[in-house]
Amino acid sequence: MRMIEIILKKRNGGELSQEEINFFVKGYTSGEIPDYQASALLMSIYFQKMTDLETVYLTEAMMNSGDVIDLSTIKGIVADKHSTGGVGDKTTLVLAPMLASCGIPVAKMSGRGLGHTGGTIDKLESIKGFSADMKEEQFIKNVNEIKIAIAGQTGNLAPADKKMYALRDVTGTVDNISLIAGSIMSKKLAAGSQAILLDVKVGSGAFMKTEEDAFSLARLMVKIGTEMGRNTEAIITDMEQPLGRAVGNALEVKEAILTLNGKGPDDLYQLCITLGSELIMMTGNAETRQDAIDMLQNSVNDGRAFKKFAQFIQTQGGDINMVMDPELLPKAAYVLELKSAGTKYVKSIDALGIGNCALILGAGREKKDAAVDLSVGIYLNKKVGEKVFPDEIIATIHTNDLAKGEEALKKLSDSYCFSDEEVTKNRLIHGLVTKDGVKVY
Ligand code: URA
């Protein structure tokens, strides 16, 4: 087989066979196929698209390019939730201990990654001493003993995707639905969970800007997971405005702790209940949806979910004092306020704009391996639909650098849009995709 023939076949609109896709993925990962040929194929895929079957073959080949984690020694059906990424998305920090406190094993591999704020691991590292570095045996032991472990992705999980994603990033070939679905699913499948729930975000702060694209991506990822023998579903959720009120690593951990204590923002709590009850149903741990919702709500109301979070942090080396008193989490040196000039309603908050504020402040990374400042971020006192009065604080910027803080404050102000009339809130849940079909809400 020759790479030039595979490129020509795709360039001319043909459908690649499993052998051809395996040849490309193996050859590219090992370095036998050079970047320029891989780029030509990726660009051909970008324009000619891939069929669902080709996408399944690509995902399988990328999954098998490295370690495939075996979680069969964990008791119970292992659940995983994956978000396609959004601004202020700290769902894992809340949902994972809620599920674990209901007896559902959560064995999660999380990343740092690129983004407006750090990934789940960065956020957790706001807690002094917390470590996501552990061997597979320790990971499995923790899940068996306390039902929850969150580990950093091993270097050898889907290495083909790692190399290809980096190439896509610099060749204008990221935003193709088949390539995105294959990239995400190869890592999720290699991480070993039997039940996978995908939280596909839609809106200005998400990868998928339109409902049509979000549903297409969800449908394709559910198809791939199902074809690969995993119980896979997707929920499409809103990312027109940030999730919750806190954006930034330590600020988000504090908000997650409040939510686990029943005092967090309603959208974050409701999203956790929706995703969690779906996962409880998928893993057969409740007979009815209402039972699943009750299980989760009770876990928060009687303090078990918070206790589980504390136990999980302590098991992974984190300072329990910071969990018990989140005021001890890293704090920025300066707090700048955005104040209201009149009486009005918040009409919209551009999630991407807020994400860019976080980047200016140093909460996230634009380049792999860049350092993140765990203490900085934005707090949104007012969200869509809420009324503001003259001189009231709309939002605050938490910064260690006043010049960057002023730049972010200007962007923050531009991200808010107001109305004199009352405004209806955004819909949080847009729909559900299962192997049996699509429900639009
Ligand atoms: N996230 C991934 O892991 N891969 C993509 O291609 C896009 C988002």
Side-chain angles (χ1 to χ4, degrees), residues 204-330:
S204 83
F207 241 106
M208 298 292 128
K209 308 287 181 208
T210 65
E211 273 204 338
E212 192 187 347
D213 283 350
F215 275 97
S216 298
L217 178 65
R219 189 199 57 75
L220 189 51
M221 291 198 291
V222 169
K223 176 149 194 178
I224 294 168
T226 307
E227 290 284 327
M228 301 295 292
R230 309 291 173 88
N231 187 0
T232 312
E233 294 187 5
I235 295 188
I236 291 79
T237 73
D238 192 70
M239 192 34 73
E240 272 305 328
Q241 65 171 337
L243 182 66
R245 296 186 185 273
V247 179
N249 301 286
L251 291 170
E252 293 189 34
V253 170
K254 185 174 168 187
E255 184 164 270
I257 292 173
L258 283 174
T259 309
L260 284 164
N261 281 301
K263 296 177 193 142
D266 195 51
D267 58 349
L268 174 61
Y269 181 66
Q270 290 309 331
L271 181 62
C272 291
I273 296 288
T274 303
L275 295 169
S277 56
E278 197 61 38
L279 265 173
I280 289 178
M281 298 302 288
M282 286 169 74
T283 50
N285 281 289
E287 296 221 331
T288 68
R289 163 99 26 201
Q290 193 54 52
D291 287 348
I293 292 172
D294 290 347
M295 280 166 74
L296 292 164
Q297 286 180 336
N298 291 341
S299 79
V300 171
N301 295 341
D302 63 21
R304 272 177 300 125
F306 173 65
K307 262 199 203 142
K308 183 55 72 180
F309 180 75
Q311 186 187 28
F312 148 66
I313 295 296
Q314 208 164 20
T315 305
Q316 295 196 209
D319 179 356
I320 195 70
N321 294 319
M322 288 188 165
V323 176
M324 295 303 165
D325 179 7
E327 290 305 316
L328 298 174
L329 287 163

Side-chain angles (χ1 to χ4, degrees), residues 82 84 161 165 168 174 176 179-184 187 207:
H82 175 83
T84 56
D161 171 65
Y165 195 11
R168 285 166 56 211
V174 168
N176 169 277
L179 295 175
I180 295 174
S183 166
I184 293 173
K187 289 173 283 209
F207 241 106

